[in-house]
Amino acid sequence: LAHGAVFTLGAYVGYLAVVKWQLPILAGGIVVVVAAAGMGCLIEGFVYRPLVKRKSPPEVIIIASLGAYIVLANLIALVAGNDTKVLRFQIESTHSLGGAHLTGIQLTQLVVGLIISLALFLTLSKSLAGKYWRAIADNQTLGAVLGFDVSRIRWTVFAVGSALAGLAGFLLALD
């Protein structure tokens, strides 16, 4: 549930980077990915990790995730305000793709989404790190017994997942 707030954070950090700091969109995207990954690590470290160490039931972890969402969403509103923000002021030309008419940003969203989906699929299915991630997702206790560094793997997964959520928020905000 806290990923929703990281998604929103991506949009607002993107606004800050592109509009306030006047960075190019690609540089703004990099700033967003780094900020969202950092926020994911903070949420893991301060919300989930203590609960996992205490062997809290899944219901408690879900409630904590909702709490993290509420706190982060309200912090974003406190800092950025509740008014509408606009990242781009120009009108996009449209492109026809089959029967659909898409703007350049929407095509970019489609291409980035396909590239990231393919990269994530290949990482999860073909790389050693992906196999570790899947093993830990299936059974953390067995992974720890087999010698996996469960803590490091959890940090990595939270960073990557949050980076992707933040990037998605930024790409949506550009539209």
Side-chain angles (χ1 to χ4, degrees):
L1 296 175
H3 259 59
V6 176
F7 176 88
T8 303
L9 180 73
Y12 279 94
V13 169
Y15 172 80
L16 179 68
V18 172
V19 174
K20 297 293 184 183
W21 298 341
Q22 297 183 342
L23 294 176
I25 289 177
L26 183 58
I30 293 169
V31 169
V32 165
V33 165
V34 170
M39 182 54 68
C41 289
L42 287 173
I43 292 170
E44 160 65 7
F46 289 110
V47 178
Y48 297 122
R49 180 170 305 272
L51 295 173
V52 169
K53 282 185 178 181
R54 291 184 197 141
K55 300 187 186 323
S56 299
E59 297 84 10
V60 171
I61 294 173
I62 289 174
I63 291 170
S65 179
L66 178 61
Y69 169 80
I70 292 169
V71 168
L72 185 54
N74 282 295
L75 282 174
I76 292 168
L78 182 67
V79 171
N82 287 322
D83 55 324
T84 303
K85 309 282 191 252
V86 178
L87 267 76
R88 305 177 65 234
F89 296 101
Q90 65 259 33
I91 296 174
E92 282 282 323
S93 60
T94 58
H95 309 278
S96 293
L97 184 66
H101 299 286
L102 304 171
T103 65
I105 291 296
Q106 291 168 336
L107 284 173
T108 301
Q109 291 169 335
L110 180 64
V111 169
V112 169
L114 290 173
I115 290 170
I116 288 176
S117 295
L118 179 63
L120 192 58
F121 170 76
L122 291 174
T123 299
L124 289 173
S125 64
K126 304 294 183 191
S127 74
L128 186 59
K131 290 176 184 176
Y132 286 164
W133 295 358
R134 289 183 293 135
I136 295 302
D138 188 46
N139 190 333
Q140 287 187 29
T141 305
L142 181 59
V145 169
L146 292 173
F148 297 170
D149 186 352
V150 175
S151 177
R152 185 177 56 84
I153 293 169
R154 284 181 57 92
W155 283 107
T156 305
V157 169
F158 268 87
V160 170
S162 296
L164 295 177
L167 181 62
F170 177 59
L171 288 172
L172 184 65
L174 289 173
D175 197 22

